[in-house]
Amino acid sequence: MAELPIRNFCIIAHIDHGKSTLADRLLERTGAITQRDMEAQFLDDMDLERERGITIKASAVSVFYTHPGTGQKYLYNLIDTPGHVDFHYEVAKALQACEGALLLCDATQGVQAQTVANAYAAINQNLEIIPVINKVDLPSARPDEVAEEMEQVLGIDALMCANISAKTGQGVDELLKLIAEKLPAPGGSPDAPLQALIFDSKYDDYRGVVVYVRVMNGVLRIGQKIRMIGANKLFTITDLGKFMPRPTKVEYIGNGEVGFVVANIKTIQDVTIGDTVTDAVNPASPLAGYRPPKQMVFCDFYPGQNTEYTQLRDALEKLRLNDSSFTFEP
């Protein structure tokens, strides 16, 4: 896999500008999922995400793409960022795992507050940006005006905008070609000491904590002893995999690639987004920008009936297993 040219990218957009629909369409057009087994918002597998139409947990999906002009085969890693501004640290870490970003803007609504915030976040990470105007199939679409707006507000060349409809698939094949042609390949060296960025994690009842990583330097292998630099914890890798888009076991995750690591990690508090994974024997220095999770929302909960106190505490314990930034005191 690692021998193929790699493109790591994300889709960033204001809420309801069509990010999840475009992600689904890219998976469909690269043959990763078929129309028949395609669920709406494939990447949003949490019930709450589907119900509210927001992407909360980042996912990383690897697909193969063959450029129709050159015949060159690529490995595309689509890193799905949280869409809401409250997750700005998580968004920054997901962006750090990419070299490029598709900046999506609704052809009817134009540039919105979060379009601007996301664009600046991508620029701060030195990402190559492909501006994309979505929903051009709608009667009220005004793609030329929105392209001018993107140029005036964000300094993006209006002529660079790709016009698409994620819903109908119009322009998506051209966009896939642009990703290969415009976005840079990842840097780093497979021979350097291991440096892998943690950009997400989730708790699995059977395997413990599943850690999503982007390898910046070196290679991750099954059986390797690793250290989480920020948490200063040691683990041994028992399993490695990629989402293609179903979980697929791999023997290693090479330089510039993304995937997930299972290492008998019992509690999600041992894993922090933005931390660096390195080799326990031949360590590297930590990646820039790490900071401990910061709470954004504070609230009190009371059980409806006194008898439900235990159930409430059990529910909060489960939530803590799934989110390292969540803490509670009974």
Side-chain angles (χ1 to χ4, degrees), residues 103-126:
L103 178 63
L104 199 61
C105 195
D106 187 315
T108 64
Q109 293 184 16
V111 175
Q112 301 286 313
Q114 236 170 283
T115 318
V116 178
N118 285 324
Y120 285 133
I123 290 162
N124 287 340
Q125 293 289 349
N126 296 316

Side-chain angles (χ1 to χ4, degrees), residues 12-301:
I12 51 178
H14 190 78
I15 295 161
D16 290 335
H17 281 206
K19 182 159 81 86
S20 295
T21 310
L22 176 57
D24 293 342
R25 193 67 59 229
L26 294 175
L27 295 184
E28 189 198 335
R29 287 297 169 95
T30 52
I33 49 174
T34 62
Q35 185 70 44
R36 195 175 58 135
D37 67 14
M38 181 167 162
E39 302 168 62
Q41 287 167 262
F42 189 92
L43 294 181
D44 294 345
D45 60 354
M46 287 168 63
D47 291 337
L48 180 66
E49 290 181 323
R50 287 175 179 274
E51 180 190 319
R52 295 183 58 189
I54 57 170
T55 304
I56 300 170
K57 277 300 201 188
S59 303
V61 177
S62 302
V63 296
F64 296 111
Y65 172 71
T66 304
H67 191 289
T70 62
Q72 173 68 57
K73 198 173 184 183
Y74 292 84
L75 177 63
Y76 281 6
N77 294 315
L78 168 55
I79 294 162
D80 198 34
T81 61
H84 204 277
V85 75
D86 287 349
F87 304 107
H88 61 91
Y89 176 67
E90 288 82 351
V91 171
K93 292 295 110 183
L95 295 180
Q96 196 180 338
C98 306
E99 280 76 39
L102 308 183
L103 178 63
L104 199 61
C105 195
D106 187 315
T108 64
Q109 293 184 16
V111 175
Q112 301 286 313
Q114 236 170 283
T115 318
V116 178
N118 285 324
Y120 285 133
I123 290 162
N124 287 340
Q125 293 289 349
N126 296 316
L127 300 192
E128 183 70 37
I129 294 173
I130 298 176
V132 182
I133 298 174
N134 188 26
K135 306 189 187 181
V136 295
D137 58 309
L138 296 179
S140 54
R142 41 185 189 92
D144 295 343
E145 282 177 50
V146 172
E148 290 294 335
E149 211 177 304
M150 289 180 90
E151 182 167 312
Q152 286 165 13
V153 178
L154 303 169
I156 287 166
D157 186 349
L159 299 174
M160 301 296 288
C161 293
N163 291 351
I164 68 155
S165 165
K167 189 178 177 184
T168 67
Q170 178 189 336
V172 173
D173 292 335
E174 289 75 15
L175 181 58
L176 282 165
K177 277 164 60 179
L178 275 179
I179 292 166
E181 293 161 5
K182 285 268 163 62
L183 299 188
S189 164
D191 304 317
L194 173 67
Q195 269 183 323
L197 171 74
I198 298 174
F199 64 88
D200 198 13
S201 63
K202 70 174 185 179
Y203 185 79
D204 183 283
D205 286 338
Y206 302 103
R207 298 188 292 177
V209 181
V210 179
V211 185
Y212 296 82
V213 295
R214 153 73 198 273
V215 178
M216 299 295 193
N217 278 299
V219 181
L220 279 167
R221 298 183 190 279
I222 292 174
Q224 186 175 7
K225 284 191 168 53
I226 54 169
R227 180 186 293 277
M228 312 284 192
I229 296 179
N232 195 24
K233 296 281 174 96
L234 288 169
F235 300 100
T236 301
I237 297 174
T238 57
D239 217 353
L240 291 171
K242 294 180 168 209
F243 291 98
M244 308 193 75
R246 301 292 178 200
T248 306
K249 188 171 176 173
V250 296
E251 291 302 310
Y252 66 92
I253 300 173
N255 177 64
E257 295 187 79
V258 298
F260 62 86
V261 177
V262 179
N264 285 329
I265 305 169
K266 298 290 188 289
T267 164
I268 206 150
Q269 268 62 41
D270 291 337
V271 178
T272 311
I273 290 173
D275 202 352
T276 304
V277 179
T278 191
D279 188 87
V281 181
N282 181 24
S285 56
L287 294 161
Y290 168 75
R291 66 171 194 260
K294 184 181 175 186
Q295 279 82 3
M296 302 293 287
V297 179
F298 301 85
C299 56
D300 293 337
F301 284 102

